[in-house]
Amino acid sequence: MPQQALVWFKRDLRIADHAPLALAAGADAAVALFVVEPEWLTSPECDAQHVAFMRGHVLALRAALAARGLPLLIRVGSVPTVLSELRRVFDFTHLYSHEETGPGWTYARDRAVGKWCRREGVVWHESPQNGVVRRLNDRSGWARRWQQRMDARQVVVPEQFRGISGLDLGTWPDDLVAQHGHADSRPLPAIGEVAAHACLQSFLDGRGARYRRDLSSPLTAEQGCSRLSAYLAFGSLSMRQVHQGTEAKITALKSLGTADARSMAYHLRGFAGRLRWHCHFMQKLESEPEIEFRNIARSYDGLREDAFDWQRFEAWKRGCTGYPMVDACMRSLNATGWLNFRMRAMLVSFAAYHLWLHWREPGLHLARQFLDFEPGIHWSQMQMQSGTTGINTFRMYSPSKQQLDHDPHGEFIRRWIPEYGTSAYPKPIVDEKTAIREAKNWLYGVRLTAGAKAEAAAVQKKHGSRKSGLPPSGKRRRATRHSDVPRQASLFADEGLS
């Protein structure tokens, strides 16, 4: 029986190192598909910038695949319905896609697709595309498996496919997108697989020369960070490509033997370590999808939820809290869709501890603002920075200290808060010392109970790291200049890669 293959693209919008494409190339006939899902457009984390970035990548991918003889169809609707309709004109026997660790609606959709495939007799093959392991029962050995995947040879995709001609290609549904309020967008970085590789190369060829020093301040991070996180979130680069490219550059630099080369190798080694953190945190959502919606440690249930202050939340969202470093960071993020890791951590810490806001609503706002929104990292880290994991140290960032350390002359603040220093700028929304004292009293009041301690042991067993260099979250480490960086370094998608 002839094998007819359908390649379903999701957040893997590239050709290189793409296992589903390679598998489909061996079929007697093949077609590619991207589905614009109403469930995505109406989800609370979707934003106009995400839609525009996705659109650009899909259209660029369509052109690149067409050059290889593979048509990329664009369809609108729920995926099982789209598959049923497509099968009437292309009787595919195999469905190829990458695994996805996404929001709850994608988990429900994938279960529905699996049910549809079983009913219709279609073989569905899902390939991993990062270090996340499906159906993982124990974290022991996870780091070794990550290393094996990242060191494996990249998948070679043939230059030519046996594509089916004559099918309706479909168009991007701009009218439908506009109906859901996604017609406008912020300025976007360069789009497509070629642009993603250019960004990686520019980082490895020079921008990453001071990475460890540049990544913490919003003044230096804009250029000194990799800026690869959005490309990884949309899949125009694979994690393996970034890992292997970085390792090759480090090796080349070491062979030069010069002081400058050794220095850059040291900084890139710091970046390479953060790639592991990226997948480490995604694994948490894969292993426990409920953490998108509820506290990892149930001992903290009810602590903030019923006390949610919507006025404080709105002030935080707009960048009008009266704390200039917090407000400048929020305004910058709202305008650009990007912010460096330490400032992201500060925003969440301020919302969780100073304003005593439960993490879900602030997390949704940030998900819409981050172009590089990666669900697995995002929700794991929203909880980590809010103190609801049961195992992590409470990290209560002082906005004034962050300002002193990372914007001592007020350059970043003046750029984003033109009214700063005038009567138009609001007074602080809360008293910092009082707010932190009360937050500590509440949180340690829970953490020191017998029930919370027992629950923390269970959380550590399920989600804790098992590798040297990825310290178990519940253990304290001596606070040194560098030892704290890796633990901070994977906050949100850009943390590990920024």
Side-chain angles (χ1 to χ4, degrees):
M1 179 179 176
Q3 183 187 129
Q4 302 204 112
L6 178 65
V7 181
W8 174 22
F9 282 92
K10 294 183 280 187
R11 291 192 300 146
D12 53 349
L13 303 174
R14 64 181 183 277
I15 292 179
D17 197 26
H18 199 287
L21 275 177
L23 291 169
D28 298 289
V31 170
L33 171 70
F34 182 85
V35 183
V36 181
E37 301 170 75
E39 295 90 343
W40 170 50
L41 296 176
T42 59
S43 65
E45 65 270 2
C46 185
D47 185 78
Q49 62 175 339
H50 301 141
V51 177
F53 203 56
M54 184 74 83
R55 179 185 186 276
H57 274 83
V58 169
L59 297 182
L61 179 64
R62 169 181 272 183
L65 288 173
R68 297 181 182 229
L70 184 66
L72 174 60
L73 312 184
I74 298 175
R75 295 291 186 267
V76 179
S78 66
V79 177
T81 300
V82 168
L83 294 177
S84 293
E85 294 172 349
L86 181 57
R87 203 159 188 242
R88 297 190 188 108
V89 294
F90 175 58
D91 191 19
F92 57 92
T93 59
H94 290 69
L95 176 65
Y96 294 111
S97 71
H98 273 122
E99 295 174 349
E100 181 180 10
T101 303
W105 68 267
T106 68
Y107 181 64
R109 171 252 278 152
D110 283 356
R111 294 185 67 179
V113 169
K115 183 178 180 180
W116 181 90
C117 287
R118 290 189 295 272
R119 185 179 69 243
E120 299 295 324
V122 172
V123 178
W124 183 17
H125 188 283
E126 293 183 279
S127 302
Q129 68 165 335
N130 49 40
V132 176
V133 180
R134 282 278 172 93
R135 293 173 287 278
L136 183 68
N137 295 320
D138 192 302
R139 273 297 187 112
S140 298
W142 180 89
R144 182 178 63 256
R145 295 173 73 169
W146 184 93
Q147 194 70 49
Q148 289 171 344
R149 285 189 182 182
M150 295 303 108
D151 290 342
R153 187 185 302 273
Q154 293 182 29
V155 176
V156 177
V157 177
E159 291 294 327
Q160 203 64 34
F161 289 80
R162 300 182 187 92
I164 295 293
S165 61
L167 297 178
D168 177 17
L169 293 179
T171 59
W172 188 269
D174 289 314
D175 291 345
L176 177 64
V177 169
Q179 289 174 22
H180 291 291
H182 297 306
D184 298 318
S185 179
R186 286 167 271 195
L188 298 172
I191 287 174
E193 191 170 359
V194 173
H197 281 276
C199 183
L200 172 61
Q201 205 59 48
S202 71
F203 176 70
L204 297 179
D205 286 348
R207 289 192 298 106
R210 293 169 48 90
Y211 176 74
R212 293 181 192 248
R213 294 191 182 96
D214 288 349
L215 85 171
S216 293
S217 170
L219 294 170
T220 55
E222 185 175 356
Q223 289 298 316
C225 289
S226 77
R227 306 305 300 269
L228 294 172
S229 53
Y231 297 120
L232 280 159
F234 286 78
S236 45
L237 275 176
S238 73
M239 178 61 73
R240 183 159 48 200
Q241 288 174 306
V242 177
H243 165 76
Q244 293 184 5
T246 303
E247 293 297 333
K249 185 65 176 183
I250 291 172
T251 299
L253 288 167
K254 288 182 176 179
S255 70
L256 295 176
T258 66
D260 285 346
R262 287 195 300 270
S263 173
M264 187 169 185
Y266 163 76
H267 285 281
L268 291 182
R269 175 55 60 202
F271 170 77
R274 287 166 174 81
L275 299 180
R276 294 169 175 82
W277 281 104
H278 182 275
C279 299
H280 167 77
F281 283 107
M282 289 180 68
Q283 185 68 56
K284 295 175 186 285
L285 183 65
E286 179 67 36
S287 298
E288 192 173 352
E290 297 84 2
I291 68 175
E292 178 187 355
F293 305 105
R294 64 166 179 79
N295 295 330
I296 293 176
R298 306 307 297 273
S299 303
Y300 296 86
D301 286 0
L303 199 60
R304 293 186 180 98
E305 292 90 323
D306 295 336
F308 198 90
D309 190 318
W310 290 95
Q311 287 187 327
R312 290 182 176 183
F313 176 54
E314 289 298 323
W316 176 81
K317 284 171 56 179
R318 298 194 313 272
C320 296
T321 67
Y323 284 85
M325 198 62 176
V326 172
D327 294 340
C329 287
M330 183 62 82
R331 295 186 192 187
S332 171
L333 172 62
N334 291 345
T336 68
W338 186 85
L339 188 67
N340 66 306
F341 91 84
R342 187 172 291 274
M343 298 303 102
R344 296 186 187 204
M346 181 191 65
L347 287 180
V348 180
S349 171
F350 189 84
Y353 302 124
H354 294 75
L355 304 184
W356 201 240
L357 300 175
H358 185 260
W359 50 267
R360 175 66 181 171
E361 288 297 331
L364 288 173
H365 173 72
L366 293 177
R368 292 187 291 270
Q369 307 317 307
F370 294 153
L371 177 61
D372 56 26
F373 170 59
E374 181 63 68
I377 300 173
H378 186 83
W379 294 116
S380 298
Q381 292 304 313
M382 283 301 304
Q383 294 217 42
M384 177 176 150
Q385 290 297 327
S386 297
T388 55
T389 66
I391 60 175
N392 296 100
T393 301
F394 299 131
R395 293 186 178 87
M396 301 179 180
Y397 285 74
S398 165
S400 57
K401 184 178 186 304
Q402 294 303 309
Q403 178 180 339
L404 183 65
D405 289 347
H406 302 301
D407 190 27
H409 304 295
E411 179 183 342
F412 184 75
I413 289 172
R414 289 193 300 274
R415 183 191 308 172
W416 292 104
I417 311 178
E419 76 275 22
Y420 179 63
T422 73
S423 59
Y425 185 65
K427 300 293 184 184
I429 194 171
V430 294
D431 177 75
E432 181 172 4
K433 291 183 178 179
T434 301
I436 290 298
R437 182 175 64 249
E438 291 178 350
K440 287 181 177 179
N441 288 340
W442 281 107
L443 290 165
Y444 282 109
V446 173
R447 173 160 285 192
L448 297 177
T449 63
K453 291 179 180 179
E455 186 177 31
V459 172
Q460 177 64 36
K461 182 178 180 180
K462 184 169 187 176
H463 294 299
S465 168
R466 305 285 194 274
K467 179 178 172 61
S468 175
L470 298 183
S473 303
K475 295 184 178 180
R476 291 180 178 271
R477 295 181 60 175
R478 180 172 59 90
T480 67
R481 180 180 176 187
H482 296 300
S483 68
D484 193 49
V485 171
R487 297 182 65 189
Q488 308 278 0
S490 284
L491 178 61
F492 312 108
D494 209 290
E495 266 321 90
L497 318 167
S498 60

